[in-house]
Amino acid sequence: MILGFPKSWSTLSYLTAICFALPLGAICIQAMVPDEAVFGHLMQTVLPTYIFNTLALMLFVSLGALLIAVPAAWCVARCDFPGRNGFQWALLLPLAMPAYVVAYVYTDLLDYAGPVQAWLRQVNGWLSPTDYYFPDVRTLGGASVMLALVLFPYIYLLARTAFMEQSPSLLHASRVMGAGPWRSFWRLNLPMARPALAVGAALVAMETAADFATVSYFAVPTLTTAVYDTWLGYGSLAAAAKLSAIILLVVFCLIGAERFARRKQQLFQKQTPITSHERYALSGVKAWLATGYCAVLLLLAFGLPIWVLLGYAWNYFDVSWNQAFWEYSLNSLTIALVVSLVTVVFALLLMFVRRCSPRKIDILPSRLASTGYALPGTVLAIGVLVPLSLIDFAVNDLYAYFDQSGPGLIFSGTLFVLIFAFAIRFAAIAIGSIENSYKQISPSLDMASVTMGMRPSAILSRIHLPLLRSGIFAAILLVFIECMKELPAALLLRPVGFENLATYVYQFVSDEQLEQGALGAIVIVLVGLVPLIYLNRSLEQGN
């Protein structure tokens, strides 16, 4: 805190926060615009189906992810078995895999013409689909399984941390009372980990509500596909905004539930993580069951899809390795780099004001600027396009007033709209990373700097920036990776003629030709592995 901190810094931080919160306000205002024709028609026909499918999908994916993540997390955190050290980080790998790619791979394997059903027909002598039953993958249940396979690491990571931080003395007490591993899990470990599990389930549910590509590929109508269809199909921005407002209501309810669950974690005491000799040493059948479960989970969620992708890329390398691949890769890298730098600059400004200002109200800008991360990509696209279109029209009207030809859609029709949307979407990541680094800098350094007569700009550039290098690097890295993977906002806001790797791969998925886009999908997966390795190293150093 710096007494007499200039108000100009606070004003600048509030202007930044208002820009970052602009989409949220735009959606709320646009949703109030009357549109009885389209929205009224949706309410009378398909809107109940959209809402039911969205809620059912969130419920099934959350339950599925819990069922497969919790046993793996408990085994890794509390037991010793062959391969435990490798599974500890490898079970995070599915997070790098786009869900729509996994959906395509399994559909290709399990469809009627796929190798699995073909093998069953050959072995059993079946001649037609009427001779046997095989579950259809392209259903709500199939989409739930695909999303659960990709999103379960959120719960696995939080549950593993919760199990590892439970006090060893509690484990000793349960052993003295005659409780074995199974009984300790049900009566001790699982109840104490419930807040972490609730947080993980809320994160999975929010990611499910924001998913567009997987449900669109499986033709499951949800609110996110409804926003896309209403906007581009019916041409009604007001109806799309009303649907977006419903999604926002669901998301903010989940955030409220997540905050409520996290509040309960204050009841826990910080404990020393358990050591290797305090874990259950599994042997015989139990040890191989634990190894087999983790291995099968890793194989289904990551190993098999990446193996199929590598096969596609190898067989279609001559088709994939072309000018378009390089052009779209360069587009993705450019956008990701620009957005990373922009978000870090604004995050530094917001967190610097929050740290140095003596005014309590200056905490608000950083929190306000973080709200964009809660907006699904399709919702964010509407929230960004509405104000930028108004600005474009105002600029062109001004030119017309002076009898000049206008510049056209310089904000909503260029790469500016994509960079602006991505920056809003991922600003929270940069703010969180820099905030964590700021906590490690002693406030006495600020006081000493002021005593030496340094101005705020000098304190930021000569004292804080050198000490924030690791946080800035982490922020650039994480935002860069998220930009490479973001699909819904890019799909809706890309300028005419512009493509990046995510939209390039999705076009092949929607055309049932992922084989030709497999090289691009592998690049996205490999880039996505970088933050997972960084996260795992951070957790190991933390332990």
Side-chain angles (χ1 to χ4, degrees), residues 495-518:
V496 177
F498 180 86
E499 300 284 352
N500 64 5
L501 272 183
T503 58
Y504 173 68
V505 173
Y506 178 71
Q507 284 182 355
F508 284 114
V509 170
S510 58
D511 293 340
E512 305 280 355
Q513 295 177 338
L514 178 60
E515 296 87 350
Q516 298 181 32

Side-chain angles (χ1 to χ4, degrees), residues 273-304:
I274 61 172
T275 56
S276 58
H277 69 275
E278 292 167 330
R279 287 192 285 265
Y280 296 110
L282 301 182
S283 60
V285 176
K286 293 180 180 177
W288 288 112
L289 278 176
T291 303
Y293 178 76
C294 293
V296 169
L297 185 55
L298 182 61
L299 176 68
L300 293 176
F302 185 79
L304 186 58

Side-chain angles (χ1 to χ4, degrees), residues 352-390:
F352 178 68
V353 173
R354 178 172 174 172
R355 174 186 173 92
C356 297
S357 175
R359 297 175 285 275
K360 291 184 179 179
I361 197 171
D362 285 346
I363 296 175
L364 287 178
S366 59
R367 293 181 177 176
L368 199 60
S370 302
T371 55
Y373 194 66
L375 303 177
T378 50
V379 177
L380 176 65
I382 293 177
V384 166
L385 200 61
V386 170
L388 291 187
S389 299
L390 291 176

Side-chain angles (χ1 to χ4, degrees), residues 428-449:
I429 297 175
I431 290 172
S433 179
I434 292 172
E435 181 181 8
N436 285 334
S437 293
Y438 255 129
K439 289 178 180 176
Q440 300 173 17
I441 301 177
S442 171
S444 60
L445 286 176
D446 300 348
M447 301 174 191
S449 305

